[in-house]
């Protein structure tokens, strides 16, 4: 009578760039129209042959209801609407009188985008849809992932690697390949902004501006920083967080500060003194938020005035992300996740008992802003590291790790494919590796990268 | 004139190897302090390079000298005066021992020597012992050892020497030495100073800037007094004070770095020697103080008292043995250790040399370090020198040696806070080597060739690895290194001109054997900063008062990263040349020398991101009084 719903989905994502693919037809207990179940049965839409701008949709009509003729059928799809309807893009194949497969060939899609797809039928009683299936089209740029490789502090062999998630092409030293000389420093951070790429390095301490596509060095600010870490920008102003003199940075009176830069001239316009040692920055609205890992607060710079205020949090906020509700989350070395509403400037929630590393936390958020992933490094002498998953709707800290391994040093998540990228430092003994996982914790792929991969940047 | 003749004589003598005349029992009376390597090290490869000390590198440090004259690779973190560490036969910086008058001057905290802190002037005699020397002289001598001695032939009268050099990039070297002696007393005092600004042009990306923060000053004082008590007993005192103040050369493009390092060391030694027909006795006591200050902040100091003695006994005409001991009491004064550490080490050793056949000499050695805090292995060695074939003017010799070596875990490895691991074991090694020497002597020329093959293996090599939130050292590494060393020397006397060519070529393959992390890609890969190919050639031409020398060295490419996938520092070749003019006046011998370093203005790096200077010039004046 009714076929049991079998739901087998597994992703072979990075290899074939397919969001998901089902093996057996998924049979629904008829298509619901106007709340009533019919005897029309369709298989779930399947998506195959996904490329950078194209995809093939296929549905099998299994059973038709003789009393309810189908006057119109096809596929609907949207990159915006998670439940696409006939108001969105659609194909129209007319009457459906014989069971069989109907296929839509999609073209001219936008690369690096997730598309949501359903099959539909129109009868005299109304329109019915199958369940939604989604997949993402891959990037057509020469690279869509940048890997930040710190390098060894003494040698200054930091590097930038690039990766194309569809072709799996790796450029181990993309900066050196583009410029003819290596970075020559420890690479801390890189951020795309306003059609430029801003790169923060230590020893020498500088901010280098790159072309976002070719990675060629356009300009460089050589002085005015001391142990810089993070970069954020609002409007035409850039802000860099500096630990300051290393001999006082970890003491009670650090000489930490923010360097303010005019991004139109690439000249430093001033500095803002900080009371605590800062780590990462986040820009939202017209404000820049500073995670003060050396203290217990998040500083807020109003970029119109460059005046600074503080939001008190738990001890050691280290990294900041923006979630789906436009709230800022901070992960704290004291073992907390703190949620802040930027509009009110108040702490909305503090989640305790978070298993953190205790220093230089690494955190990322999924493309839809709903799930946070962070690393936790076990204490000496263990070399174990864990990846934890946290839904923003959750109120308790995750207790079980999603992924466990050794020497994880950086984490990122591809906003389109939802693939986790984990940087493995190999203990800084040699070049590092990037491991790709799906959000279920299954290992998908890996590739070699430079020394000490500490983070990722995903670009279109 | 007299000096060049002596030089020539010494050039011909320089290649003398271990086949000693054992029936001259009385050791050369000048060897009071110690030169333990020559007699009991049959089968090993050793080179006495004392005659080359007066060449164009005479005011340089040990690092520049060794790079130019031996197949040893030195990792130089920048221009002259910057940190230089040794890589002997593919081993690490702490795997070679440096001895000054028998005292191992490797830092107690780091377990290695910064060769830029060892000026050539601190040695009257210099020898290089290739390969393991643990059975003879103890810890650290895994890849090889460097032996410096202040022994010199006794003089009667007084001799004063003064030299002054000026060179590019603010180079300034002065040296004054005063020697006086009679049949009973010998005194010698030397003061030296070398300063350099190192503001050479550095290329960075598409522009050039003046190198910043690389200046250094090295200065010191050496003294030696010898008292001949009677025909069979001597007493000697040696002292060496050295101070170094330098800026640490930053990476290329780092314009704001102001790091500085100050080093100070005091080395004092009293020695006693007594000879008799079949028995020789040596006793010694010493004190060494090392102090380091980084950025006017933290200090790292150690001091130690040493005492030792050995007895050589000639049992038969063909058999001689030695027993000895070395005691050391070390005290640390390091800010970064939780507590000050005190440690006592006792070394016991026995050596044997046996001449069973006229053409064969065998040596066996055994040494054991005893210390409470860690284990050191027993280190034996066995070696043989054989005259394979002797003709009227040719000789072929064969040598072979097998030995065990070790290195004690350093104080930093064990006590650094945070991370130090007091449970570390010693690093251990095995090595064996063999070689063939051919000497050909004709009327006015001679040719010496040496081809050697070595294999060494080091395990429990200590590496600092991140373990969670801290870095901590473990005995995790195992390395096999093998190689071939070829040496050629040709001396020719033609039309009142003397030519001398010395060449070294080495191929070294140092490979990591053990993985440490999952999916470790470093296994089977060459070690970073151990070039496979290394070569140097030195040419000297002497005619009348003129002496011209030309020297070149080639260093093969070096990986910077353990899995060989990272950046590579390119291979380079550098040329140096110098011309000397000598004139003898009534009571003074004067020499003028003009030297050009990096003749071809080669743009190269020894260590990644540390610039090296382009062409530089040096002018020197050397005055010696003829003894009065």
């Amino acid at each position: 009578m009714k076929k049991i719903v079998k739901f087998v989905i597994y992703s072979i994502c990075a290899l074939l760039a397919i969001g998901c693919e089902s093996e057996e037809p998924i049979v629904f207990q008829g298509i619901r129209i106007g709340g009533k179940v019919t005897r029309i049965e369709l298989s779930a839409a399947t998506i195959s042959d996904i490329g950078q701008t194209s995809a093939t949709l296929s549905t099998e009509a299994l059973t038709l209801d003789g009393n309810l003729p189908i006057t119109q059928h096809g596929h609907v799809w949207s990159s915006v609407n998670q439940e696409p309807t006939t108001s969105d893009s659609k194909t129209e194949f007319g009457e459906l009188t014989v069971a069989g497969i109907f296929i839509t060939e999609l073209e001219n899609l936008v690369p690096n985008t997730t598309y949501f797809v359903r099959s539909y039928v129109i009868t005299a009683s109304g329109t019915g849809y199958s369940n939604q299936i989604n997949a993402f089209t891959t990037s057509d740029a020469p690279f869509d992932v940048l890997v930040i490789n710190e390098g060894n502090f003494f040698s200054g062999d930091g590097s930038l690697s690039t990766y194309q998630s569809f072709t799996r092409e790796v450029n181990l030293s993309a900066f050196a390949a583009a410029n003819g000389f290596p970075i020559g420093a420890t690479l801390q951070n890189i951020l795309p902004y306003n059609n430029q790429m801003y790169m923060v390095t230590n020893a020498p301490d500088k901010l280098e501006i790159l072309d976002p596509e070719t990675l060629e060095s356009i300009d460089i600010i050589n002085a005015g920083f001391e142990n810089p870490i993070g970069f954020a920008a609002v409007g035409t102003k850039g802000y860099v967080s500096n630990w300051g003199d290393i001999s006082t940075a970890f003491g009670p009176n650090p000489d930490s500060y923010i360097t303010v830069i005019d991004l139109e001239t690439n000249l430093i316009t001033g500095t803002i003194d900080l009371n605590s040692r800062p780590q990462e920055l986040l820009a939202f609205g017209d404000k820049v938020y500073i995670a003060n890992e050396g203290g217990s607060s998040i500083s807020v710079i109003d970029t119109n005035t460059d005046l600074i205020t503080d939001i008190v949090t738990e001890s050691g906020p280290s990294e900041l992300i923006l979630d789906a509700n436009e709230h800022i989350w901070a992960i704290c070395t004291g073992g907390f996740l703190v949620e802040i509403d930027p509009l009110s400037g108040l702490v909305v929630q503090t989640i305790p008992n978070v298993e953190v590393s205790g220093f230089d936390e690494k955190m990322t958020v999924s493309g839809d802003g709903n799930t946070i992933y962070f690393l936790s490094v076990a204490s000496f002498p263990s070399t174990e590291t864990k990846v934890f998953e946290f839904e923003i709707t959750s109120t308790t800290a995750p207790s079980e790790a999603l992924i466990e391994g050794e020497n994880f040093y950086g984490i990122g998540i591809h906003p389109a494919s939802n693939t986790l990228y984990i940087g493995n430092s190999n203990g800084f003994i040699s070049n590092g590796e990037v491991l790709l996982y799906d959000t279920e914790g299954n290992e998908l792929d890996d590739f070699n990268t430079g020394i000490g991969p500490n983070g990722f940047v995903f670009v279109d | 004139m007299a000096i060049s003749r002596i030089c020539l004589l010494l050039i011909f003598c320089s290649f003398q190897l271990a086949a000693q005349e054992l029936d001259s029992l009385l050791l050369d009376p000048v060897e009071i302090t110690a030169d333990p390597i020559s007699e009991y090290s049959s089968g090993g490869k050793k080179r006495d390079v004392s005659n080359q000390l007066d060449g164009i590198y005479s005011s340089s440090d040990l690092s520049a000298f060794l790079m130019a004259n031996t197949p040893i690779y030195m990792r130089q973190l920048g221009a002259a005066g910057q940190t230089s560490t040794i890589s002997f036969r593919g081993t690490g910086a702490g795997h070679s021992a440096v001895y000054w008058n028998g005292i191992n001057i490797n830092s107690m905290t780091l377990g290695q020597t910064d060769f830029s802190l060892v000026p050539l002037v601190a040695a009257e005699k210099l020898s290089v012992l290739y390969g393991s020397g643990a059975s003879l002289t103890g810890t650290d001598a895994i890849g090889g050892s460097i032996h410096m001695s202040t022994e010199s032939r006794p003089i009667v009268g007084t001799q004063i020497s003064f030299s002054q050099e000026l060179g590019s990039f603010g180079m300034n070297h002065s040296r004054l030495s005063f020697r006086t002696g009679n049949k009973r007393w010998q005194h010698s005092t030397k003061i030296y100073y070398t300063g350099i600004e190192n503001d050479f042009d550095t290329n960075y990306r598409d522009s050039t800037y003046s190198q910043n923060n690389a200046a250094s000053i090295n200065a010191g004082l050496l003294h030696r007094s010898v008292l001949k008590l009677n025909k069979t007993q001597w007493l000697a005192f040696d002292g060496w004070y050295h101070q170094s103040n330098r800026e640490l050369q930053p990476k290329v493009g780092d314009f704001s770095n102001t790091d500085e390092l100050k080093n100070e060391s005091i080395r004092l030694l009293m020695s006693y020697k007594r000879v008799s027909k079949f028995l020789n006795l040596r006793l010694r006591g010493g004190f060494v103080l090392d102090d380091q200050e980084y950025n006017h902040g933290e200090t790292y100091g150690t001091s130690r008292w040493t005492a030792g003695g050995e007895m050589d006994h000639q049992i038969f005409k063909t058999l001689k043995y030695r027993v000895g001991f070395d005691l050391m009491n070390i005290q640390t004064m390091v800010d970064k250790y939780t507590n000050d550490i005190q440690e006592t080490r006792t070394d016991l050793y026995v050596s044997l040399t046996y001449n069973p056949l006229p053409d064969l000499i065998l040596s066996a050695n055994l040494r054991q370090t005893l210390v409470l805090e860690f284990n050191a292995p027993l280190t034996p060695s066995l070696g043989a020198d054989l005259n394979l074939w002797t003709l009227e003017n040719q000789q072929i010799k064969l040598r072979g040696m097998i030995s065990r070596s070790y290195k004690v875990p350093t104080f930093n490895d064990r006590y650094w806070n945070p991370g130090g691991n007091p449970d570390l074991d010693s690093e251990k090694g095995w090595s064996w080597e063999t070689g063939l020497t051919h000497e050909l002597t004709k009327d006015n020329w001679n040719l010496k060739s040496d081809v050697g093959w070595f294999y060494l293996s080091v395990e429990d090599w200590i590496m600092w690895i991140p373990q969670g939130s801290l870095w901590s050292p473990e005995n995790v590494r195992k390395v096999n290194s093998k190689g071939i060393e070829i040496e050629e020397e040709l001396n020719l006397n033609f039309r009142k001109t003397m030519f001398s060519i010395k060449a070294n070529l080495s191929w070294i393959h140092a490979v990591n054997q053990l993985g440490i992390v999952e999916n470790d890609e470093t296994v089977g890969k060459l070690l970073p900063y151990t070039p496979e190919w290394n070569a140097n050639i030195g040419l000297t031409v002497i005619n009348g008062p003129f002496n011209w020398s030309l020297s070149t060295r080639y260093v093969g490419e070096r990986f910077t990263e353990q899995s060989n996938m990272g950046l590579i520092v390119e291979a380079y070749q550098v040329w140096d040349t110098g011309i000397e003019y000598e004139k003898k006046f009534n009571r003074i011998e004067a020499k003028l020398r003009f030297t050009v370093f990096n003749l071809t203005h080669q743009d190269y790096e020894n260590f990644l991101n540390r610039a090296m200077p382009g062409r530089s010039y040096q002018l020197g004046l050397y005055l010696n009084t003829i003894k009065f």
Side-chain angles (χ1 to χ4, degrees), chain B residues 59-62 79-84 114-122 170-175 191-198 214-221 240-248 261-265 267:
Chain B
S59 62
S60 304
D61 54 40
L62 205 50
Q82 295 301 313
T83 303
S84 301
D114 180 346
F115 283 72
S116 67
L117 300 175
V118 185
L120 222 51
V121 302
M171 189 272 186
N172 178 353
H173 171 85
S174 309
R175 188 194 327 165
I191 306 175
Y192 59 88
Y193 168 94
T194 306
I196 189 163
E197 191 58 40
N198 270 332
S216 66
I217 294 176
N218 279 279
L221 173 73
W240 180 18
Y241 172 76
H242 181 89
Q243 188 185 96
S244 159
N245 259 300
R246 62 186 152 167
E247 300 171 331
L248 294 175
L261 184 62
K262 184 170 162 174
N263 277 286
E264 238 185 311
S265 55
R267 294 152 183 142

Side-chain angles (χ1 to χ4, degrees), chain A residues 176-259:
Chain A
N179 289 285
F181 44 77
I183 295 174
T186 302
L187 182 56
Q188 242 347 303
N189 238 318
I190 189 162
L191 191 76
Y193 179 77
N194 213 14
N195 208 29
Q196 307 268 49
M197 223 34 124
Y198 292 88
M199 195 169 79
V200 178
T201 65
N202 289 162
D205 298 331
K206 51 183 163 92
L207 183 69
E208 195 153 3
I209 297 104
L210 314 179
D211 178 306
E213 277 167 38
T214 63
L215 297 180
E216 278 169 6
S217 175
I218 299 172
D219 204 351
I220 185 168
I221 305 176
N222 268 319
F225 307 103
E226 196 162 4
N227 295 306
I229 301 289
F231 174 84
V234 170
T236 58
K237 294 170 83 166
Y239 298 81
V240 174
S241 57
N242 297 278
W243 283 359
D245 190 324
I246 196 76
S247 59
T248 54
F250 286 79
N253 286 315
D255 297 314
S256 307
Y257 59 95
I258 299 283
T259 311

Side-chain angles (χ1 to χ4, degrees), chain B residues 148-216:
Chain B
M148 297 191 298
S149 154
T150 52
E151 308 259 13
S152 53
R153 299 204 77 83
I155 64 167
V156 175
T158 304
Q159 194 170 61
I160 304 176
S161 302
F162 172 73
S163 59
Q164 175 67 46
E165 287 176 7
L166 289 172
S168 305
F169 317 125
M171 189 272 186
N172 178 353
H173 171 85
S174 309
R175 188 194 327 165
L176 178 65
S177 92
F178 178 83
R179 289 193 64 192
T180 185
N182 56 33
K183 283 193 183 148
R184 210 164 140 73
W185 276 103
Q186 297 284 319
H187 298 290
S188 153
T189 309
K190 231 189 247 187
I191 306 175
Y192 59 88
Y193 168 94
T194 306
I196 189 163
E197 191 58 40
N198 270 332
D199 52 352
F200 51 91
D201 281 340
T202 305
N203 293 325
Y204 178 58
R205 302 199 172 175
D206 292 328
S207 63
T208 309
Y209 71 98
S210 186
Q211 178 64 50
N212 57 313
N213 207 66
S216 66

Side-chain angles (χ1 to χ4, degrees), chain A residues 152-157 172-173 175 181-186 202-206 208 217 220 222 357 359 377-383 405-407 426-431 433 448 451, chain B residues 77 204-206 251-257 419-420 463-472 474 477 516-522 529 560-567 607-610:
Chain A
N152 270 312
F153 187 79
F154 190 72
S155 313
D157 46 8
L172 202 60
S173 305
F175 179 93
F181 44 77
I183 295 174
T186 302
N202 289 162
D205 298 331
K206 51 183 163 92
E208 195 153 3
S217 175
I220 185 168
N222 268 319
S357 304
F359 63 97
V377 175
S379 8
F380 175 79
S382 171
T383 51
E406 291 197 0
N407 296 312
N426 280 334
F428 275 86
I429 288 166
S430 64
N431 264 11
E433 260 185 303
N448 286 324
I451 297 176
Chain B
L77 266 53
Y204 178 58
R205 302 199 172 175
D206 292 328
K251 294 187 209 79
V252 178
D254 188 352
F255 307 118
S256 52
N257 194 306
M463 273 189 78
W464 281 71
I465 49 178
Q467 296 178 55
S469 44
L470 281 183
W471 286 65
S472 182
E474 298 286 342
R477 165 160 267 201
I516 299 171
V517 297
E518 301 176 28
N519 305 320
D520 198 322
E521 304 225 19
T522 65
Y529 292 107
T560 60
E561 179 266 326
Q562 313 269 6
S563 65
N564 300 165
M565 285 192 278
L567 294 169
F607 196 88
L608 185 68
N609 287 330
R610 311 282 163 164

Side-chain angles (χ1 to χ4, degrees), chain B residues 423-486:
Chain B
D423 298 325
L424 285 170
D425 269 336
S426 294
E427 301 177 357
K428 306 164 195 53
W430 272 107
S431 66
W432 65 268
E433 64 175 283
T434 180
L436 213 56
T437 308
H438 174 245
E439 288 178 41
L440 173 62
T441 313
K442 295 277 194 181
D443 285 338
N444 53 353
W445 62 275
N446 65 48
L447 177 67
K448 289 177 190 103
S449 312
D450 189 289
V451 179
W453 157 266
F454 73 86
Y455 176 88
L456 67 90
S457 171
V458 183
E459 59 182 5
D460 287 337
W461 185 327
I462 294 169
M463 273 189 78
W464 281 71
I465 49 178
Q467 296 178 55
S469 44
L470 281 183
W471 286 65
S472 182
E474 298 286 342
N475 295 91
V476 282
R477 165 160 267 201
K478 180 166 191 266
V479 170
N480 290 348
S481 177
K482 62 185 179 206
I484 299 174
E485 290 160 349
I486 301 176

